[in-house]
Amino acid sequence: MKFKVLGSGAGIPSRTRNTQSFVLDVVEEINQYFLIDTSEALQHRILDTTIRPSKIRHVFITHLHGDHILGLPGFLSSRSHQGGEGIPLIVYGPPGLEEWIETTFRTSGTHLNYAIQFVEVGNGDVFDIEGFKVSVQLLDHAIDSFLYVFEEPDKPGALKSDKLREMGIKPGPIYKQIKSSKTFEHEGIIYNTCDYVSAPTAGRKVAVHGDTRVIRHKDYLDMLEGSDLIVHEATYLHGEQEKAHLYYHSEINDVLFNLSQISYGQLLFSHISNRYDAEMVRLVEEQLPSGIKLAHDFIEITIPRDSQ
């Protein structure tokens, strides 16, 4: 599992940062990509990667500000001609998203050659998507903005074949039968299968924020607890907590202090204001603890199993 940043900037693009768009790469797990937010020029960004639009079957929009959605009409249209013909797509997002796309397509005469479904999300929603549990939490922004938490299912433990061989059970179809049952019989004795299977490997958990102020509620922090990767905005990198709060955004040190109350694997800060030059970004990065990074366009984060 990998997390790829196609755009890491806030508000408007700069020479070095496009506005926000992410991809959760679960090709190894389910042969798909989850696309999260769709900044302007998304089509061009994808062309600079090995991502195949036909393998994007689910799109998640955090909120309806332009720097997070203006690339969606173009992406949907180009997907028709990039292997997506006949492959359905589901778009999850706040109320109003479907109406905006329908109006855009109607006025521009755009037609798709695949089925598209819009799912309106709300606070507390939970979806089962390709075996992943996807939870939705309302954030604190000028308009409705959401957190998406992606939880991979646990990976079943492996059969302890050495123990079975010691019992005199030779490899073969019987091993599959044993693993799929709660008990098995050998030479007249009933055994519990769980004693012959290793513990399952916990699924990974990735939490991706839309724009937000810092949230200090316990329920919110509990939702992030144990994440292997948290992606959070840091529009403000150098103080100015009051200004960040005034404009419904977050300041990096305030976020770090807030998240110090929970355990997590990696933390990636994105949505970086274009008023910070490369030298300021470098100075901030040098002060960050291990496992915490500032995003830049095309950065790729590997999310290993058991990263906690």
Side-chain angles (χ1 to χ4, degrees):
M1 184 184 292
K2 298 176 182 177
F3 189 83
K4 304 171 187 259
V5 175
L6 301 182
S8 59
I12 59 176
S14 69
R15 291 173 184 257
T16 56
R17 295 182 187 274
N18 199 38
T19 49
Q20 183 162 298
S21 189
F22 307 129
V23 168
L24 181 58
D25 180 341
V26 284
V27 170
E28 184 177 321
E29 292 74 23
I30 60 171
N31 199 32
Q32 291 188 34
Y33 300 100
F34 292 158
L35 175 62
I36 306 155
D37 281 346
T38 54
S39 59
E40 190 176 356
L42 172 62
Q43 299 174 78
H44 295 87
R45 290 288 161 159
I46 289 177
L47 290 175
D48 288 324
T49 72
T50 59
I51 295 168
R52 293 170 56 186
S54 62
K55 287 190 176 183
I56 297 175
R57 314 286 172 84
H58 302 272
V59 178
F60 303 86
I61 301 298
T62 62
H63 65 294
L64 301 186
H65 277 157
D67 54 322
H68 297 256
I69 64 169
L70 289 179
L72 183 57
F75 166 75
L76 296 177
S77 180
S78 63
R79 185 178 181 270
S80 292
H81 309 287
Q82 295 174 321
E85 181 176 1
I87 301 175
L89 181 75
I90 304 177
V91 181
Y92 304 81
L97 179 61
E98 181 177 8
E99 179 184 3
W100 176 65
I101 288 295
E102 287 181 346
T103 301
T104 301
F105 280 7
R106 183 175 64 253
T107 55
S108 63
T110 301
H111 302 280
L112 304 180
N113 57 16
Y114 58 86
I116 184 169
Q117 176 186 356
F118 288 88
V119 176
E120 192 173 285
V121 303
N123 188 42
D125 284 348
V126 178
F127 302 97
D128 183 349
I129 300 174
E130 308 290 349
F132 282 73
K133 176 185 175 184
V134 181
S135 304
V136 183
Q137 170 75 44
L138 182 66
L139 299 172
D140 185 4
H141 194 47
I143 64 173
D144 282 358
S145 180
F146 293 96
L147 160 72
Y148 291 100
V149 179
F150 302 84
E151 296 182 71
E152 178 188 32
D154 293 346
K155 183 179 180 180
L159 198 64
K160 297 178 180 178
S161 56
D162 54 337
K163 292 185 67 175
L164 294 177
R165 285 195 294 268
E166 288 174 4
M167 295 170 59
I169 303 177
K170 296 180 179 180
I174 186 65
Y175 278 22
K176 184 177 181 180
Q177 296 172 21
I178 290 173
K179 191 174 181 181
S180 63
S181 61
K182 292 183 178 180
T183 63
F184 65 94
E185 181 180 352
H186 178 63
E187 296 182 346
I189 301 175
I190 303 296
Y191 297 89
N192 292 317
T193 301
C194 62
D195 295 331
Y196 296 85
V197 177
S198 62
T201 303
R204 288 158 288 188
K205 180 178 179 180
V206 178
V208 183
H209 291 74
D211 293 1
T212 186
R213 291 168 168 168
V214 173
I215 299 175
R216 309 182 200 282
H217 300 158
K218 183 178 183 301
D219 289 347
Y220 159 79
L221 291 171
D222 286 347
M223 194 171 182
L224 297 180
E225 177 70 41
S227 295
D228 295 277
L229 172 66
I230 297 174
V231 183
H232 198 291
E233 73 132 288
T235 308
Y236 293 83
L237 292 179
H238 188 62
E240 300 183 290
Q241 285 94 337
E242 291 184 4
K243 189 173 183 180
H245 188 80
L246 178 64
Y247 289 102
Y248 291 90
H249 285 291
S250 297
E251 189 274 336
I252 190 168
N253 293 300
D254 202 11
V255 178
L256 284 170
F257 178 78
N258 193 44
L259 296 184
S260 67
Q261 303 173 70
I262 63 172
S263 62
Y264 58 85
Q266 301 181 77
L267 173 58
L268 180 67
F269 284 110
S270 192
H271 206 264
I272 311 300
S273 173
N274 64 4
R275 66 198 181 109
Y276 298 112
D277 60 21
E279 179 62 16
M280 172 60 79
V281 170
R282 184 186 65 79
L283 290 173
V284 171
E285 285 182 311
E286 288 179 350
Q287 300 175 36
L288 292 175
S290 176
I292 301 175
K293 297 180 180 179
L294 289 184
H296 57 76
D297 290 14
F298 299 115
I299 190 174
E300 182 176 285
I301 305 292
T302 298
I303 310 166
R305 292 189 181 275
D306 298 322
S307 63
Q308 285 291 307

